[in-house]
Amino acid sequence: MRSALTTTYSQPGEKRSAINMTQQKNKSQIKTSSIIILVASVIGLLDSIYLAYVKIANTDIYCTPGLGRCDVVNASQWSTLWGIPLGFFGIVGFASLFLLASFGNKSKMLAPYNEMLIFAISLAGFLFSLYLTYIEVFVLKAVCQWCVLSALMMTIIFVTVIYKLIVKSAQLTNSGGNGNA
């Protein structure tokens, strides 16, 4: 089966129309991906702020009955790194992702690297979340709903940025590398 870009057309304007439709679809997909990254980073940021607050204020963590044992996870040795509550690392990571997704393309210095920065931060966050989830399930044998939410948001961002990079890569491939697919 031929793609829209390699099909022969009977009318001269048909090919241009198919290319324009592909461009519009790609732009729409990229915009939707950006919105998903923004929403997930805000949810992750709020979650991380709560986790950091609970740890530094030394207050009881709320855990919905039947959804885990947040108190066990929050009191464990794995709830800090170098003496810093993990919630602070989440704040930095999710805030960075939010700022890059919001303003990275507006900065001449960051724009060429923006997508790769978002990819790198989300990859690091995703891998660290996998490690922490392993600790929860297999070492502590306790799961924290707030930690799962953070891991889920980072996973959503990571998968979305991969999808976004694939769409942009296909766009560059179809345009011969000049970005005007």
Side-chain angles (χ1 to χ4, degrees), residues 55 76-87 89 128 131-132:
K55 194 70 175 173
S76 76
Q77 69 186 35
W78 290 280
S79 65
T80 61
L81 180 63
W82 303 307
I84 302 168
L86 291 181
F89 291 100
F128 193 58
Y131 167 74
L132 293 173

Side-chain angles (χ1 to χ4, degrees), residues 62-148:
Y62 174 78
C63 197
T64 305
L67 279 183
R69 306 230 358 251
C70 300
D71 54 332
V72 172
V73 176
N74 192 45
S76 76
Q77 69 186 35
W78 290 280
S79 65
T80 61
L81 180 63
W82 303 307
I84 302 168
L86 291 181
F88 284 106
F89 291 100
I91 291 170
V92 170
F94 285 114
S96 297
L97 289 165
F98 177 80
L99 292 172
L100 285 169
S102 298
F103 307 111
N105 287 329
K106 293 173 177 61
S107 164
K108 287 182 182 180
M109 183 178 77
L110 291 177
Y113 312 105
N114 191 47
E115 298 300 326
M116 293 315 285
L117 287 169
I118 293 172
F119 172 76
I121 294 169
S122 66
L123 173 63
F126 173 73
L127 292 175
F128 193 58
S129 293
L130 277 180
Y131 167 74
L132 293 173
T133 302
Y134 169 84
I135 295 295
E136 282 183 304
V137 173
F138 297 106
V139 177
L140 297 174
K141 297 184 182 358
V143 177
C144 170
Q145 68 190 22
W146 305 107
C147 303
V148 170

Side-chain angles (χ1 to χ4, degrees), residues 14-93:
E14 282 184 61
K15 183 175 182 180
R16 220 180 1 237
S17 176
I19 291 172
N20 288 339
M21 287 175 41
T22 302
Q23 286 176 334
Q24 289 173 347
K25 182 179 176 189
N26 287 346
K27 285 180 183 179
S28 174
Q29 290 171 335
I30 289 171
K31 185 174 182 175
T32 301
S33 298
S34 296
I35 291 169
I36 291 169
I37 291 170
L38 288 171
V39 170
S41 63
V42 168
I43 293 169
L45 180 60
L46 293 172
D47 180 54
S48 297
I49 289 169
Y50 175 69
L51 289 170
Y53 167 76
V54 165
K55 194 70 175 173
I56 61 169
N58 201 25
T59 62
D60 290 337
I61 189 168
Y62 174 78
C63 197
T64 305
L67 279 183
R69 306 230 358 251
C70 300
D71 54 332
V72 172
V73 176
N74 192 45
S76 76
Q77 69 186 35
W78 290 280
S79 65
T80 61
L81 180 63
W82 303 307
I84 302 168
L86 291 181
F88 284 106
F89 291 100
I91 291 170
V92 170

